[in-house]
Amino acid sequence: MTHRDDSRRDELLGKLLDYSATHGLSETSLRPLAAAVGSSPRMLLYFFGSKEGLVREVHRHARDVQLQLLADALKDCSNRTEALRSLWQWLSSPAHHNVVRFFFESYARSLHAHGGAWEGFGEASIREWLPQLRQAFGGSDTEATLALAALRGLLLDLLATGDTERVEQAFEDLLRKL
C-alpha cells in the first residue's frame, strides 16, 4: 500500500470505530457500513480483506486508542491515584459511552468465539492493559488485576444503571483502598 492508501485506511478505521461504537458491527453488512463511513464495499474489502478482517482491525484500533489513553494517563500524572482518576474520567464520560459499549459487546462475543473476528479479543484486552497497570502498581500483578477488574465492573454498572453519583462514589472508594 502507498502512503496515501495508509492514510485513507487510517481515516476509515477512525470512522469505522465511531460507527461501530454507536451501531455495533455484528449485524451490519458491508454495503450500509461502507455508505455510513463514506466508502464502498469494494474499498473496505481492499483495505481489510473481508468483513471479519475489518472487524478485527476495528478491534485492534479500538484497543490501540485505549492503550494510548492508558499510557498517557500513567505518564502525565505524578501518582497512580491521579493516573487512575484521569483514566476513569475519560472512560466514564458520556461522550465515550458508545466506545465503552462497543468494547463490552466485543469482549462478551469473544467469550464464545471459536475462530472469527471476535476470537481472542477479551484475552488480548487484558494482556495489553496489565503491563501498564502493573508498572503503575510497582510490579504487583494482584493490584493491577484488581484495578482492571474494578474499573471494568464499575463501567458496566454505570452503563447499565446510569447511576453516576453512586458509581463515582464507588470509584473514589476504590482509589482510597488501592
Side-chain angles (χ1 to χ4, degrees):
M1 271 195 274
T2 67
H3 176 68
R4 183 176 160 171
D5 284 350
D6 288 342
S7 178
R8 177 65 175 142
R9 186 177 189 279
D10 291 344
E11 176 189 347
L12 282 172
L13 274 172
K15 289 179 177 182
L16 288 163
L17 178 57
D18 290 344
Y19 178 87
S20 61
T22 303
H23 304 286
L25 283 178
S26 58
E27 303 302 321
T28 306
S29 65
L30 283 180
R31 189 170 307 282
L33 181 59
V37 298
S39 189
S40 68
R42 193 177 115 245
M43 288 309 294
L44 293 180
L45 291 173
Y46 169 75
F47 285 118
F48 305 105
S50 65
K51 183 178 177 196
E52 182 178 302
L54 181 147
V55 171
R56 282 191 177 281
E57 284 300 305
V58 171
H59 286 154
R60 185 200 51 76
H61 181 65
R63 286 196 320 268
D64 288 349
V65 168
Q66 291 176 356
L67 285 170
Q68 187 60 54
L69 168 70
L70 178 60
D72 291 346
L74 294 173
K75 175 182 68 178
D76 292 341
C77 297
S78 58
N79 65 54
R80 69 178 177 216
T81 299
E82 288 309 308
L84 288 174
R85 185 174 280 116
S86 174
L87 179 63
W88 175 255
Q89 287 170 347
W90 190 94
L91 290 170
S92 65
S93 166
H96 302 121
H97 283 185
N98 285 334
V99 172
V100 174
R101 280 186 193 96
F102 175 63
F103 167 81
F104 283 118
E105 174 192 3
S106 300
Y107 194 97
R109 285 179 152 269
S110 78
L111 299 176
H112 297 286
H114 302 291
W118 283 270
E119 183 176 26
F121 177 83
E123 182 179 358
S125 73
I126 293 168
R127 299 219 183 279
E128 292 168 348
W129 277 62
L130 279 180
Q132 292 186 52
L133 287 171
R134 192 178 301 120
Q135 182 179 358
F137 286 98
S140 172
D141 275 336
T142 302
E143 286 182 340
T145 300
L146 286 171
L148 182 59
L151 284 171
R152 289 181 175 174
L154 289 170
L155 282 169
L156 276 172
D157 187 327
L158 179 62
L159 291 174
T161 67
D163 190 346
T164 303
E165 187 176 325
R166 180 181 56 79
V167 175
E168 289 287 337
Q169 187 60 45
F171 174 76
E172 290 300 323
D173 194 39
L174 170 68
L175 286 182
R176 284 189 292 279
K177 291 177 180 175
L178 288 174

